Amino acid sequence: MMKLSLDELEKKCAEFKELEKRGTLYPMFLNMIKKGFEIEAMLFILSTWNFATFRYAIKTFDINGFKGVINKCKPIFNKLKNETFEETDFNKIQSEIKYIYDSLSIIKGVKYTGTPKLMHLKNPRLFVMWDSYIKRKYGYKKGTAEEYIQFLKQMQTIFGDIEWKDKNKTLPKAVDEYNYITITLEEMKKKKSV
C-alpha cells in the first residue's frame, strides 16, 4: 500500500480550500462544539455535508431519539478522547468504534456516510470521514462498522507516518480533504460527463 508524502497532502488540502466552499463551515462546526452546541453542530454538518441522505429524513427526523443516541455514546467518546489517528492501535479500540458506529448509523438521516462525520466532530484527532465515493474507491461496499474500522487502519497505513504540523487542521481532516479532492470530486466529474 502506498504511503503519501507531506508535500502531496498539503497540495491537495490547498486544492480543497480553493475548490470546496463548504470547507469554510468546518471551523464553525468545531466552534459550536466548543461553545456547548454539540447537537446543533452535528445537525449543521449533516445538513451541509450529508444532505443527500439528511434531506429525506428531515421531515420525520427524531431529534429526541438522536440526542438519546449521542448521550448513550458519550461515555465511549470520553474513553477515546485522548486517542489520536497517528498513534492509536485501532485493533485495541475496535469494540468502542463498533459500538458508536452501529449506534449512529441506524439513525434515519445519518446512515453510514453521516456517522463518521459525527464521530469526527466528537474526536477530530482520531476519526477520518468518508462518503460513498471514498468508501467504494477503497473497496468497501456495505458501510458497516467493520468496514469503517478497516478503512481507518488503511488510512493510517497510507497517511499515519506524515508529520502533520498544521494547528488549524488535524491529520484526519487533511486525509478527508485529500480523499475528497482525489476521489469524490473526480467521481462527481465522471458522473456529470455521462
Side-chain angles (χ1 to χ4, degrees):
M1 197 170 296
M2 69 159 205
K3 296 210 181 241
L4 203 76
S5 71
L6 174 61
D7 185 52
E8 184 64 17
L9 182 57
E10 288 175 334
K11 282 180 189 170
K12 295 304 176 188
C13 288
E15 281 182 51
F16 179 87
K17 186 176 181 179
E18 177 76 23
L19 297 173
E20 184 48 74
K21 299 308 174 199
R22 286 179 299 170
T24 60
L25 300 174
Y26 179 76
M28 290 183 204
F29 305 145
L30 297 180
N31 194 38
M32 289 172 77
I33 295 240
K34 259 188 221 167
K35 293 191 175 194
F37 296 101
E38 177 181 82
I39 297 298
E40 293 84 349
M42 290 179 168
L43 293 174
F44 192 14
I45 199 170
L46 290 173
S47 66
T48 55
W49 281 97
N50 199 47
F51 64 90
T53 301
F54 192 67
R55 69 180 173 191
Y56 294 112
I58 194 67
K59 287 183 180 179
T60 58
F61 190 74
D62 178 6
I63 189 70
N64 291 325
F66 178 70
K67 288 178 184 177
V69 171
I70 298 300
N71 284 330
K72 185 175 88 167
C73 292
K74 268 188 185 168
I76 310 298
F77 278 119
N78 287 337
K79 184 177 177 184
L80 300 177
K81 71 180 178 186
N82 295 319
E83 298 288 341
T84 64
F85 174 76
E86 296 91 321
E87 296 177 12
T88 294
D89 179 348
F90 285 107
N91 291 317
K92 290 184 178 175
I93 61 169
Q94 283 187 84
S95 62
E96 290 86 349
I97 294 172
K98 184 174 177 0
Y99 179 85
I100 294 168
Y101 191 97
D102 287 344
S103 297
L104 291 170
S105 65
I106 59 169
I107 299 172
K108 189 176 176 185
V110 177
K111 301 291 186 186
Y112 68 84
T113 54
T115 294
K117 290 169 179 61
L118 300 180
M119 292 171 75
H120 175 82
L121 283 185
K122 288 294 287 178
N123 188 340
R125 297 177 316 128
L126 179 61
F127 296 114
V128 178
M129 296 178 272
W130 71 6
D131 60 29
S132 57
Y133 296 114
I134 294 166
K135 177 181 72 67
R136 280 194 305 268
K137 186 70 172 184
Y138 284 107
Y140 304 106
K141 294 177 173 62
K142 298 177 185 170
T144 63
E146 292 78 11
E147 284 187 340
Y148 180 63
I149 292 164
Q150 290 307 311
F151 169 77
L152 289 171
K153 291 178 190 178
Q154 190 175 8
M155 295 304 96
Q156 192 178 55
T157 299
I158 298 168
F159 300 93
D161 293 335
I162 292 175
E163 291 188 33
W164 189 252
K165 303 283 188 219
D166 188 337
K167 299 221 184 303
N168 297 313
K169 182 185 306 175
T170 64
L171 181 55
K173 177 65 170 100
V175 170
D176 176 62
E177 291 179 9
Y178 176 88
N179 284 335
Y180 183 82
I181 290 295
T182 60
I183 298 169
T184 304
L185 279 187
E186 292 304 312
E187 293 299 317
M188 287 168 65
K189 284 178 194 172
K190 284 181 198 172
K191 217 174 175 181
K192 280 183 182 175
S193 67
V194 172

